[in-house]
Amino acid sequence: MNRFKVVRADTCISCCLCESLCPYGVHRRVEGHTRILPPDDRKCIGPACEANDFFCVANCPTNSLSLRESDNFKSLGDPRWTADMILATWHQAETGAPLPLDHPANEGRSGGGFDELRLVLPEKTPRYDPDDMSTSMELNRRGTGERIRTSVPFYGGGMSFGSISVHTMLARVVAARKWDTFVSTGEGGYPKLLVPYSDSIITQIATGLFGVREETIQRSRIIEFKYAQGAKPGLGGHLLGDKNTPDVARMREAVPYTSLFSPFPFHSVYSVEDHKKHFDWALSINPKALLSAKVSTPNDVEMVAVGSYYAGAHIVHLDGGYGGTGAAPEIAKKNIAMPIEYAIPKVHRFLMAEGIRDEVTLVASGGIRTALDVAKAIALGADGVVTGTSELVALGCVRCGNCESGRGCPRGIATTDPELERQSTSDWGSSILDNLYSSWRAQWCELLARLEMSDISELVGRTDLLRYRQRPAKEVGE
Amino acid sequence: MTIAYERYHIPLKNVAGRAPRIPEFEISRADNCVNCGRCERACIYGVHERSGTDPREMADPINRFCKNCFRCIAECPQGALTMSEGEEYASLGRGVWTSNRMSTIWGEAETGKIPVFGAGYRGMFAGDGYDSMWTDMSEIVRPTRDGIHGREFISTSADIGRIPSFLEFLPSGEIATNMPPLFEIPIPMVLDATRTSVLPENVEDGIAIAAKALRTLVFVPLDRTSRAAREGCEGCVVPVVPAHTEPSSLRLPDGVRMVEVVVDGSWRDEMEALTATFEDKVVSVRIRAERGVEETILDMLDMGVAVANVEYSDDGMEYGDDGRHAMESLRAIHAKLVSAARRDEMTIMAGGGLAAAEHVPKSIICGADVVCLDKSLLIALECRNCIDCDPVSCPVDVSSASPSWVSDRISNLVGAWRDQLLEVLGAMGLREARRLRGEFGRAIFFEDLERDFTSSLDGGERT
């Protein structure tokens, strides 16, 4: 996608001076052609080029070239995922290069939450060796059960087979394995292709029990119970009929092309005791598994978190209101339950006061987009985060929001349409995600070095490092 | 008499618009297009097609099909395609009536469906008025969920009129309390045809038909009452009587259950005559909200007014320079009546600034029993919210629409909004809209969250 628009006027005489000047390859004439090709402005670095001797606009003998921000760029993105942020994520995913910590694309312009939180960083970066830095997250902080550490402070959030393509699933799992972390299946099981990677897969159990079988539970090292989802808290999961292709339906043991509804809530769980029984049921099938409770963020989120702990959860996963989804009513995304930024410190401090913070792994999700959002969530009190949308963006998502309908994603990411999903392969996808993770890790390492820390767990709950700037948000409803 | 169980249901159907949809994004094709047809293969929505007259050329993109996926732009080998924001779309919208909300209402009125999309929330973090509150949800259950998918029933009914706080009985066991007129409507939304500019007759008729079909109320100016009351709509029609009308001079159609009077500063003198004349009807008073409106409303309750219809500005604000948003104003009214221990003796209606489905539950949480839909009804008819509304130059020629089209579009809108109210109630674990009313504790206010949040940041600025 081009950020800038380079316009060549009719007065161009195809002298091709620009071609010889531009080191980025914007201008090109094919050997034998009389006229130069239209500018390939995807390669252009924009007005910043003015400082260079080779700036084509200034050098053109007939003044035929002009440069402006492209309309495409202006139509991309939204206040939460700005065009800058999407392009930066694509760049990170292509190159693996870290985004400078002061780059504007590290935050959105939604006027609140992460977008108004800044980490106070000392100016100078001391010399550091990334290999000495730890960015890992402990997933089991209770006395019993398997110790599991991920090498990065995140794991991949639930996106079901059906809501996303098998290539996307496989890409996420392959990348997760490389980084010693996990990917949640979402509710819908996982196809055979993923079975060899089951060590890196979290099986999600939600009310529809789609794709949940004894063997999937037995294979999983971590079992996630989805009590609610941030984007549609208190509402159920929903896969629209068109996306329920025969493959998906087989996995879910359902009738193809019918809408699949996974209703809220678990009617068998009305108390902490029920909650524990629910966990016990899973443990009776796989006694070694770690248990995660995925909940959203109501007013009493801290009580819910404490309840989950006493029921036996190793991981308490808070999913905030502004999180991702494959299909949700618009009214629920914005209006029901609070944004994650408010919930993390609330829960963190409550668990501290209860004296059980050290025994719980608190992970957060719901609108965590960049490496710096991750760091901010950790500084607010989470041990780590769960990612989702940022991975899809890395894979080429432009957040057009058409994942739910018809054949699904026009770009082949969140679809099970056999034709559309051919647009990408899992090999490409996993290297893209690998790049994104490298880039994020490099950002965290620099951040830790600046703060003179060597382990990201030292950052947990360091709200003293955060500054919150109040700025009136006026563009609401846009 | 046996009463069969009947579940309230709003029939929805697809009601196509009459005017072309205004596209949010426009794709333009530059001259350097080589007509290779890659875009045609790339687009799954049918934006790009070859020209019907000359298949060697690509036709102009059909923008209303575009869903902004950027695939054609990314795949065009010539870089000939550009996506830009639609000019007309960008120029739409004023105040709380943003282009996005208007276009959402157009969609709801067309399909009657809840807007459902993929990808997470994409707007601002928070904002003014109703954008500074979130509704709560219930993590671990209560029964309910869910009216729309056909399991347990969630009631959205509201009571109109005065509910006595207690009943008195004679020694014989009969009720001694003189029961005031009171009735129930199945949705907490009424249609108000008086607030917008003078409506063409076809629109007025359509709104009345919709009110009858929805079994709710329609507020009409007094002089239009008999027209609106045709076709057995009497029970739905609420005549709105201008200030200083002599009550005894009024001739209302039979079957009218409720009457509303507009009042000004001298309302106290008129109240007695009004309530005496309309003894058998619910008497509502329309009051322009200004700061301190809660005091006036409590006074009115003392004078026997059963319904206060509180009118906010088009942007949902109280009138006057120091006006509060309806969110605060309604909370003040509700709290006032609660602390006087008389909340149920009065029905509070609120209108103005209701531009999106979420404003209905939010108004109710803040203390309204019922909301009045006004401008949204016109927007449902594809109104562009022009600054100067003139039926002659109306860009969508609203006066040529058939009353049944008007009625169907409005039923769709109300149906979609009710379904969204059900979503919110379901998420909260409530099975009755009545119990949502005034439940401040089940809402999350920006102000409170910010205060907690800033105080939890050791290094944060404290306010």
Side-chain angles (χ1 to χ4, degrees), chain A residues 78-82 85 107-118 322 339 341-342 369 468-476, chain B residues 121-128 131 134 446 450 453:
Chain A
D78 52 71
R80 293 197 64 77
W81 271 92
T82 60
M85 193 185 274
E107 57 193 39
R109 46 179 177 80
S110 73
F114 291 130
D115 292 342
E116 289 295 330
L117 270 177
R118 311 263 139 66
Y322 293 166
E341 292 90 330
Y342 295 129
R369 304 152 295 181
Y468 191 55
R469 191 151 52 81
Q470 202 64 48
R471 200 165 51 184
K474 283 291 176 203
E475 298 168 55
V476 172
Chain B
Y121 174 58
R122 49 182 78 241
M124 297 300 282
F125 186 79
D128 299 327
D131 287 321
W134 293 269
F446 178 68
E450 282 287 286
F453 186 65

Side-chain angles (χ1 to χ4, degrees), chain A residues 67-400:
Chain A
L67 174 65
R68 60 184 160 83
E69 191 150 86
S70 109
D71 281 331
N72 291 336
F73 180 76
K74 283 191 273 185
S75 343
L76 184 68
D78 52 71
R80 293 197 64 77
W81 271 92
T82 60
D84 249 339
M85 193 185 274
I86 293 175
L87 289 193
T89 306
W90 287 348
H91 184 75
Q92 287 171 285
E94 262 167 47
T95 62
L99 195 62
L101 294 182
D102 55 358
H103 195 282
N106 280 306
E107 57 193 39
R109 46 179 177 80
S110 73
F114 291 130
D115 292 342
E116 289 295 330
L117 270 177
R118 311 263 139 66
L119 279 156
V120 186
L121 296 178
E123 279 299 311
K124 277 205 190 128
T125 311
R127 291 172 63 89
Y128 67 96
D129 179 358
D131 293 339
D132 296 339
M133 301 277 192
S134 164
T135 53
S136 72
M137 168 168 65
E138 176 70 58
L139 293 182
N140 178 5
R141 306 173 82 201
R142 286 183 176 251
T144 56
E146 191 191 358
R147 314 298 298 182
I148 301 180
R149 281 187 87 84
T150 59
S151 76
V152 277
F154 67 83
Y155 60 80
M159 286 189 267
S160 66
F161 176 52
S163 77
I164 56 173
S165 76
V166 67
H167 300 305
T168 310
M169 281 189 103
L170 190 56
R172 293 179 83 209
V173 174
V174 171
R177 164 177 277 193
K178 184 162 175 205
W179 288 85
D180 285 332
T181 186
F182 293 82
V183 168
S184 168
T185 55
E187 187 193 20
Y190 50 94
K192 277 215 175 71
L193 212 52
L194 272 74
V195 173
Y197 299 90
S198 54
D199 271 359
S200 307
I201 287 176
I202 299 175
T203 286
Q204 186 183 86
I205 301 178
T207 58
L209 301 181
F210 294 130
V212 177
R213 293 170 201 173
E214 250 181 49
E215 62 268 25
T216 47
I217 294 183
Q218 278 164 352
R219 279 199 293 259
S220 296
R221 292 160 78 199
I222 305 179
I223 298 166
E224 172 179 285
F225 284 85
K226 186 186 93 168
Y227 288 94
Q229 180 177 342
K232 38 185 169 183
L235 313 174
H238 197 177
L239 184 73
L240 279 82
D242 289 335
K243 285 179 81 172
N244 182 15
T245 56
D247 282 347
V248 175
R250 201 172 310 118
M251 207 60 236
R252 297 189 179 211
E253 296 174 56
V255 179
Y257 302 110
T258 52
S259 275
L260 296 182
F261 194 69
S262 168
F264 179 86
F266 278 112
H267 277 291
S268 51
V269 182
Y270 278 52
S271 65
V272 176
E273 292 74 24
D274 292 343
H275 197 2
K276 179 163 187 333
K277 260 202 270 184
H278 211 193
F279 281 161
D280 287 346
W281 162 66
L283 287 179
S284 70
I285 301 170
N286 179 358
K288 284 191 297 188
L290 301 192
L291 301 166
S292 157
K294 177 177 179 180
V295 297
S296 68
T297 51
N299 240 339
D300 54 354
V301 57
E302 67 273 40
M303 295 305 296
V304 173
V306 169
S308 294
Y309 165 79
Y310 285 115
H314 299 89
I315 302 169
V316 174
H317 173 179
L318 309 175
D319 193 18
Y322 293 166
T325 173
E330 287 293 299
I331 190 170
K333 293 181 191 171
K334 174 176 157 230
N335 300 296
I336 309 181
M338 66 175 85
I340 192 67
E341 292 90 330
Y342 295 129
I344 301 170
K346 218 171 155 158
V347 172
H348 171 68
R349 298 203 306 171
F350 201 82
L351 293 174
M352 293 276 266
E354 190 77 10
I356 52 176
R357 180 65 186 90
D358 291 342
E359 292 176 62
V360 181
T361 299
L362 180 65
V363 294
S365 65
I368 291 168
R369 304 152 295 181
T370 61
L372 278 192
D373 282 355
V374 177
K376 290 170 194 172
I378 293 174
L380 284 173
D383 290 301
V385 307
V386 178
T387 54
T389 305
S390 43
E391 289 163 356
L392 298 191
V393 170
L395 292 170
C397 165
V398 291
R399 281 172 56 77
C400 67

Side-chain angles (χ1 to χ4, degrees), chain B residues 194-240:
Chain B
T194 64
R195 283 202 50 173
T196 42
S197 50
V198 179
L199 296 175
E201 284 181 351
N202 61 324
V203 175
E204 236 174 43
D205 290 351
I207 296 178
I209 299 169
K212 187 186 174 195
L214 297 164
R215 305 216 309 266
T216 183
L217 303 173
V218 54
F219 290 73
V220 292
L222 181 63
D223 55 344
R224 318 286 292 172
T225 307
S226 44
R227 184 181 172 90
R230 290 176 320 175
E231 303 173 44
C233 297
E234 302 88 349
C236 306
V237 174
V238 181
V240 178

Side-chain angles (χ1 to χ4, degrees), chain A residues 75, chain B residues 19-28 47 61-68 83-92 99-100 103 106 382 384:
Chain A
S75 343
Chain B
R21 232 4 216 284
I22 301 175
E24 187 175 353
F25 293 96
E26 284 166 11
I27 294 197
S28 52
V47 172
I62 311 167
N63 283 314
R64 68 201 146 91
F65 293 156
C66 176
K67 293 198 174 188
N68 195 25
M83 169 105 64
S84 49
E85 288 170 303
E87 265 177 56
E88 197 176 358
Y89 188 90
S91 64
L92 276 175
S99 48
N100 186 310
S103 139
W106 293 335
E382 301 180 293
R384 306 279 165 87

